[in-house]
Amino acid sequence: MLLRYPEKMAATNKQLLLAARPTGFPKPTDFRLVESPIPEPVEGQLLVGISYLSVDPYMRGRMNATRSYADPQKLDEVMGGGAVGRVLASHHPSFAEGEYVVGMFGWQQYALSDGAGVMKADPQVAPISTSLGVLGMPGLTAYFGLLDVCAPRAGDTVVVSGAAGAVGSTAGQIAKIHGCRVVGIAGSADKIRWITGELGFDAAFNYKTETRYFEKLKELCPAGIDCYFDNVGGAMTDAVFSLMNPNGRVAICGQIALYNLEKPDSGARLLPLVLVRTLTVKGFLVFQYASRYGEALPQLAKWHRKGRLKYRETVAEGTENAPSAFLGMLRGENIGKQLVSISNL
Ligand SMILES: NC(=O)c1ccc[n+]([C@@H]2O[C@H](COP(=O)([O-])OP(=O)(O)OC[C@H]3O[C@@H](n4cnc5c(N)ncnc54)[C@H](OP(=O)(O)O)[C@@H]3O)[C@@H](O)[C@H]2O)c1
């Protein structure tokens, strides 16, 4: 097999498997590290040396046995997930050795692919890690959730929960670009400083120290709330709904406050508010917009180039640290996009 960068390659492929299905908050022992031979691509396949893995909240749902919008992650198989890396060998007509590619390559150092769902990442546009963040799936989620579902108008008050994460930080900045007053909710003083300082959110609060959510939101949103980009759900969302203005729009993007609960949580009854304030509440999944990625990605890149869309990354080092990076992200230890750096092949 012809390999362009053989001298930098490890001898084996470190992979992380799902070892057990968690109850409640996942544990390091729910994952197992194994080493296997580096696979050889056959006709129609490419071999990718992974540069960065993405760890994402949706992976928690896939660790359960129940099907949601995707099948459960299989036990004893490589954890699925997005990654960006370099084509080390190609027997595929659309991909050449040396190109950077993004795809669902999983938690491992080397991945074989048949090219399905694989996109190219251009290091001239931005560092390749951004293809897993602001210029990748989280950025697209923010773009479509905000512009298509929330449909903000200049002057609207937009509230974003999970505001210092990969999706939320992007959604808030897109709302600012569209002339909105943006209020963010996040879980640390550093996060609040970042989103109100560098990112230009108009106001924000730390939900871990300020527990009177309704009162705080009322203070920060004196004209009520027109759009809510919901990444977290739970008690925060109950409080936001009470302040929604007539004809307000709510994008249900994520419900991370509920992902690790052992028992279902019952909250406020919100449907009467949806009725009397004629709210539009819509769940969405980013891949429903796949046919429009070609519109969104150049726009996100343009905003980034003009300094209007900033990002941060929290980067763990090494395949073996993917589980701790994932658990840390679920605990809120990341600012911006949580990645795992694998190699610089
Ligand atoms: N609909 C879609 O197609 C789609 C696509 C991508 C992501 N999502 C959803 O979007 C949300 C954000 O995803 P992301 O990739 O950008 O992750 P992220 O925000 O970068 O990381 C997750 C963040 O969630 C916060 N969090 C954890 N537990 C929480 C709790 N109990 N209450 C409130 N916040 C909590 C933490 O920040 P704090 O310090 O602020 O707590 C943590 O940093 C997730 O809910 C995810 O499932 C949806």
Side-chain angles (χ1 to χ4, degrees):
M1 178 177 64
L2 176 64
L3 284 175
R4 184 174 256 217
Y5 310 101
E7 74 283 359
K8 287 190 181 176
M9 288 184 67
T12 57
N13 187 15
K14 283 187 192 165
Q15 302 176 304
L16 276 148
L17 315 184
L18 180 65
R21 298 202 184 279
T23 309
F25 202 90
K27 304 179 290 301
T29 49
D30 295 330
F31 306 92
R32 187 169 63 250
L33 182 70
V34 296
E35 295 200 22
S36 60
I38 296 169
E40 297 256 349
V42 297
E43 200 49 41
Q45 289 185 324
L46 53 148
L47 175 69
V48 182
I50 306 300
S51 307
Y52 294 96
L53 303 179
S54 175
V55 291
D56 293 83
Y58 74 83
M59 294 168 178
R60 175 63 189 87
R62 294 204 62 222
M63 292 168 81
N64 296 333
T66 43
R67 188 177 196 286
S68 58
Y69 57 85
D71 285 334
Q73 163 74 43
K74 290 205 174 92
L75 281 169
D76 300 316
E77 289 196 0
V78 175
M79 280 291 293
V84 60
R86 202 153 197 196
V87 179
L88 297 179
S90 179
H91 299 294
H92 191 293
S94 307
F95 299 95
E97 284 171 29
E99 287 184 321
Y100 286 102
V101 285
V102 193
M104 295 300 286
F105 300 134
W107 292 15
Q108 54 187 340
Q109 288 176 295
Y110 300 96
L112 275 187
S113 168
D114 62 5
V118 174
M119 296 200 296
K120 294 186 185 176
D122 183 352
Q124 305 301 321
V125 172
I128 53 159
S129 57
T130 59
S131 61
L132 299 174
V134 66
L135 303 184
M137 185 277 279
L140 291 164
T141 304
Y143 181 95
F144 291 112
L146 189 83
L147 297 182
D148 211 66
V149 183
C150 283
R153 294 179 278 259
D156 277 356
T157 296
V158 176
V159 170
V160 181
S161 56
V167 173
S169 60
T170 310
Q173 290 179 87
I174 297 174
K176 282 304 300 173
I177 289 168
H178 286 79
C180 301
R181 172 179 167 75
V182 181
V183 176
I185 307 160
S188 78
D190 277 352
K191 294 183 182 190
I192 299 305
R193 264 193 297 279
W194 179 53
I195 61 176
T196 53
E198 198 179 338
L199 302 193
F201 283 47
D202 296 281
F205 73 95
N206 176 354
Y207 73 93
K208 288 185 178 161
T209 53
E210 177 56 74
T211 49
R212 291 158 59 250
Y213 302 155
F214 176 82
E215 288 77 6
K216 192 69 191 170
L217 283 163
K218 199 166 178 204
E219 174 196 325
L220 299 182
C221 306
I225 299 168
D226 302 295
C227 303
Y228 177 40
F229 192 105
D230 184 15
N231 282 314
V232 311
M236 184 62 66
T237 293
D238 294 347
V240 173
F241 264 70
S242 310
L243 292 160
M244 291 298 299
N245 287 331
N247 303 318
R249 285 86 60 205
V250 179
I252 306 291
C253 176
Q255 299 280 289
I256 197 166
L258 313 181
Y259 295 172
N260 294 305
L261 296 181
E262 291 187 40
K263 282 187 283 181
D265 177 42
S266 55
R269 292 194 190 277
L270 299 175
L271 293 181
L273 283 172
V274 174
L275 171 66
V276 299
R277 300 202 192 149
T278 58
L279 305 179
T280 301
V281 181
K282 189 171 185 296
F284 75 100
L285 298 168
V286 63
F287 53 73
Q288 295 175 300
Y289 291 94
S291 65
R292 291 177 56 197
Y293 289 175
E295 151 203 331
L297 286 171
Q299 180 62 79
L300 290 165
K302 192 169 165 190
W303 285 329
H304 170 58
R305 208 168 42 246
K306 292 187 161 175
R308 303 186 77 189
L309 187 55
K310 299 182 176 134
Y311 69 93
R312 243 167 104 166
E313 296 169 338
T314 302
V315 185
E317 298 287 331
T319 322
E320 53 279 11
N321 289 319
S324 59
F326 174 66
L327 302 181
M329 178 275 299
L330 291 177
R331 279 191 294 266
E333 290 166 11
N334 59 308
I335 298 192
K337 176 66 196 153
Q338 178 68 57
L339 297 169
V340 184
S341 163
I342 304 299
S343 78
N344 59 357
L345 282 169

